[in-house]
Amino acid sequence: MRADTKSIPAFDGPMLQVAGLRKIYPTATGGFEAIRNLTFDVPAGQLACIVGPSGAGKTTLLKCIAGLLPRTEGVLELHGKDITGPPKTMAVVFQEYGRSLFPWMTVERNVELPLKAAGVPKAERRARAAEALEQVDLADAGGKYPWQLSGGMQQRVAIARAVAYRPEVLLMDEPFAAVDAQTRADLEDLVRRIWKELGITILFVTHDIDESVYLGERVIVLSAAPTVVQDDILVDLPADRDQLRTRSLPRFAELRTHVFEEIQRAKAEAKTGAIPAR
Amino acid sequence: MSAFLRNTAFLLGLPLLLVLWWWWATIDSTNFFVPTPGELVTTFVDTWFGPRFWQDVLPSIGRLAAGLALAIVLGVAFGILIGSFKRLRQLLEPLLEFIRAVPPVVLVPLLMLLIGINDLMKVVVIVSGAIWPILLNTVEGVRATDEVQRDTCATYRIRGLNRLRYLTLPAASPQILAGVRQSLSIGLILMVISEMFGSSSGLGFTIVWFQRNFAIPEMWSGILVLGLIGLGLSVIFRVVERRILRWYHGLREVQRAS
């Protein structure tokens, strides 16, 4: 399932390296510092969640990593290579599924499009798209248009498109923020399943604390803007997760309390500008 | 079936009523300038079903079709270029506004001098007026392309011709077609006007010739032909638009329902 990595020279470092990342948006009054200093590594095959209070520059960080936004300072490396534009081995699932899928194409053609642009032959394209749609339980929806589907199904199409592309790294920007709670739980399990099946690296941005703990092997907590890493937590929950049982584990409650406290602290710091005693 | 009948009644009701009124008003009319409906129909058939169809109607339609096709191709091509590059837009905006403000009709005498009295001149006149709504709408459509769709193309490295074909053109197509719709009527007007000046064939020429020779019912029937061409154009446009923008109308319907 994985993209062919044989051609890439052996590299022992992390899949993704972020060091001293800084992003200042130019404004009329001299610039807004969205990200001050971010440093973290994501090893290959990890599912890492990034949480932070609203306005923490989560989307900015993701866009910088995706090569959609130039950084002001710092190191951004994928597989040891500097990120200067959208990397070939990376896919992104955006929050706004309704605007990320092309309404003038059927679901099938949407999933196939990145493969077509990459020069994948037609027969293989078809097969990979069908396989990916099956993986997200939408095998029958290929001939429909995205707007004929519910929000949750549309986001699954966007995930299928990313899966068919066979990236090494998948970035997800609050992908489930706009769907209802039940759909959201299903989609979370879908992400876990795909992550296990494909063995890819996933960076999942969310503002939902429960979601970050349930999904991630690790939770990186961001502070409010100007953003730094507030905390980096290893999620030591069993690998097989279940919406009911995992969420009722005492360890789950501990972790979510911990993340919650960190975010409250981040908000308080943003308000007072001082670091309160722990 | 009853819905179909009702729709047909709505479609034809007003035209029928107007014809009836016209018939009633001209029952005992001796007005030389206004023919009765019956007179007009016979004149219409006598005048246009014959050699005149090949000599005047078809060449006119040909010029109109060529002019509109050229206006669409050039308007969309330049619209995409100007819409895609901010610098180019800033550079060209004042110039475009100026050229757009010049009524294309005044170009007719000029183009007669430059190109001569031929079909090319007439096609150029049609293009010079019909291109603007298409060009400006295309520029706006390209500029308004959704940011998330652009980011999606960027992350999946969909570039160049693929991007044009699968993102830029379809995203701008609702706006482009709105421009084309406006251009159709402008094209028809300019076709007639370009034929009224130095010409020896075509609808514009024939209508003016009838008027100068006091062939009043024939003149009226020529106007009827123009109206029918306009109607035909809008029917063709609707069919094409429905096909190209099927996704757009479907999407809009869903958005309205929610």
Side-chain angles (χ1 to χ4, degrees), chain B residues 63-103:
Chain B
R63 287 165 198 149
L64 179 61
L68 286 175
L70 215 58
I72 292 170
V73 170
L74 292 176
V76 171
F78 283 108
I80 283 175
L81 268 179
I82 298 169
S84 302
F85 300 104
K86 199 177 161 196
R87 288 261 166 233
L88 195 63
R89 197 156 60 233
Q90 287 167 339
L91 192 73
L92 290 179
E93 217 145 53
L95 187 68
L96 289 179
E97 285 300 322
F98 173 77
I99 301 174
R100 193 171 101 91
V102 176

Side-chain angles (χ1 to χ4, degrees), chain A residues 63 68 86-88 90-92 94 96 99-105 109 113-114 116-117 145 147 158 161-162 165, chain B residues 146-159 162 165-168 170-171 246-251 254:
Chain A
K63 281 195 164 181
L68 294 170
K88 205 173 182 173
M90 192 185 271
V92 183
F94 295 94
E96 305 93 337
R99 290 162 60 198
S100 165
L101 297 171
F102 295 158
W104 45 85
M105 288 179 186
R109 307 252 293 149
L113 186 62
K116 199 173 200 172
Y145 284 94
W147 38 267
R161 180 172 61 186
Y165 189 65
Chain B
D146 193 282
E147 205 192 313
V148 180
Q149 288 173 354
R150 288 185 208 199
D151 280 352
T152 302
C153 265
T155 54
Y156 288 113
R157 299 155 71 95
I158 298 162
R159 297 164 176 171
N162 277 325
R165 186 165 157 206
Y166 299 114
L167 173 69
T168 313
R246 207 162 66 90
W247 65 269
Y248 181 69
H249 295 299
L251 178 69
V254 170

Side-chain angles (χ1 to χ4, degrees), chain A residues 1-276:
Chain A
M1 283 307 298
R2 288 278 304 278
D4 184 19
T5 49
K6 276 175 198 152
S7 56
I8 300 168
F11 175 72
D12 303 332
M15 176 61 85
L16 184 74
Q17 191 185 3
V18 180
L21 180 71
R22 188 167 193 222
K23 175 67 191 177
I24 300 172
Y25 286 105
T27 60
T29 52
F32 168 72
E33 190 180 29
I35 295 174
R36 175 160 291 169
N37 187 345
L38 274 182
T39 301
F40 63 89
D41 289 347
V42 182
Q46 190 175 58
L47 201 175
C49 287
I50 292 181
V51 280
S54 49
K58 299 188 290 282
T59 298
T60 304
L61 167 65
L62 207 105
K63 281 195 164 181
C64 285
I65 295 174
L68 294 170
L69 214 59
R71 58 186 181 263
T72 310
E73 261 174 51
V75 176
L76 265 181
E77 282 179 1
L78 179 73
H79 235 293
K81 271 171 70 183
D82 187 33
I83 297 173
T84 50
K88 205 173 182 173
T89 55
M90 192 185 271
V92 183
V93 173
F94 295 94
Q95 181 186 340
E96 305 93 337
Y97 47 81
R99 290 162 60 198
S100 165
L101 297 171
F102 295 158
W104 45 85
M105 288 179 186
T106 60
V107 163
E108 213 164 27
R109 307 252 293 149
N110 263 291
V111 176
E112 274 180 41
L113 186 62
L115 306 179
K116 199 173 200 172
V120 177
K122 193 171 180 175
E124 193 192 333
R125 220 156 66 205
R126 284 276 147 82
R128 270 163 73 169
E131 188 190 20
L133 282 171
E134 193 153 346
Q135 271 175 311
V136 300
D137 302 317
L138 281 176
D140 299 330
K144 289 193 173 148
Y145 284 94
W147 38 267
Q148 291 173 316
L149 307 175
S150 69
M153 284 162 102
Q154 287 183 40
Q155 195 55 291
R156 265 153 54 195
V157 174
I159 294 171
R161 180 172 61 186
V163 166
Y165 189 65
R166 296 185 186 167
E168 290 184 340
V169 178
L170 177 59
L171 304 182
M172 305 184 89
D173 184 14
E174 304 199 28
F176 312 142
V179 297
D180 61 88
Q182 185 52 52
T183 311
R184 189 174 188 144
D186 293 343
L187 288 169
E188 284 164 6
D189 290 335
L190 174 71
V191 168
R192 288 283 306 179
R193 201 183 80 213
I194 281 171
W195 171 68
K196 271 193 215 156
E197 281 174 13
L198 304 185
I200 56 177
T201 312
I202 297 182
L203 198 60
F204 190 104
V205 170
T206 175
H207 63 255
D208 186 315
I209 297 158
D210 286 52
E211 186 168 77
S212 70
V213 174
Y214 179 74
L215 270 182
E217 304 294 293
R218 170 194 183 187
V219 176
I220 300 165
V221 183
L222 300 184
S223 74
T227 308
V228 296
V229 173
Q230 177 101 7
D231 201 359
D232 194 342
I233 303 148
L234 193 73
V235 179
D236 47 1
L237 292 169
D240 272 322
R241 298 197 187 163
D242 177 280
Q243 287 288 353
L244 272 179
R245 266 173 293 152
T246 306
R247 283 180 194 269
S248 53
L249 289 176
R251 183 64 188 146
F252 183 88
E254 276 169 39
L255 284 165
R256 89 168 280 289
T257 307
H258 182 78
V259 175
F260 183 79
E261 279 169 359
E262 286 300 323
I263 287 182
Q264 288 306 110
R265 202 160 68 89
K267 278 193 205 160
E269 279 162 25
K271 239 176 245 164
T272 60
I275 299 169

Side-chain angles (χ1 to χ4, degrees), chain B residues 28-108:
Chain B
D28 47 2
S29 158
T30 51
N31 191 332
F32 177 71
F33 298 109
V34 183
T36 64
E39 252 182 292
L40 187 66
V41 169
T42 32
T43 317
F44 178 80
V45 173
D46 291 347
T47 311
W48 302 104
F49 284 63
R52 217 173 237 121
F53 180 77
W54 306 101
Q55 283 162 17
D56 294 312
V57 182
L58 228 50
S60 283
I61 292 178
R63 287 165 198 149
L64 179 61
L68 286 175
L70 215 58
I72 292 170
V73 170
L74 292 176
V76 171
F78 283 108
I80 283 175
L81 268 179
I82 298 169
S84 302
F85 300 104
K86 199 177 161 196
R87 288 261 166 233
L88 195 63
R89 197 156 60 233
Q90 287 167 339
L91 192 73
L92 290 179
E93 217 145 53
L95 187 68
L96 289 179
E97 285 300 322
F98 173 77
I99 301 174
R100 193 171 101 91
V102 176
V105 178
V106 305
L107 294 177
V108 175

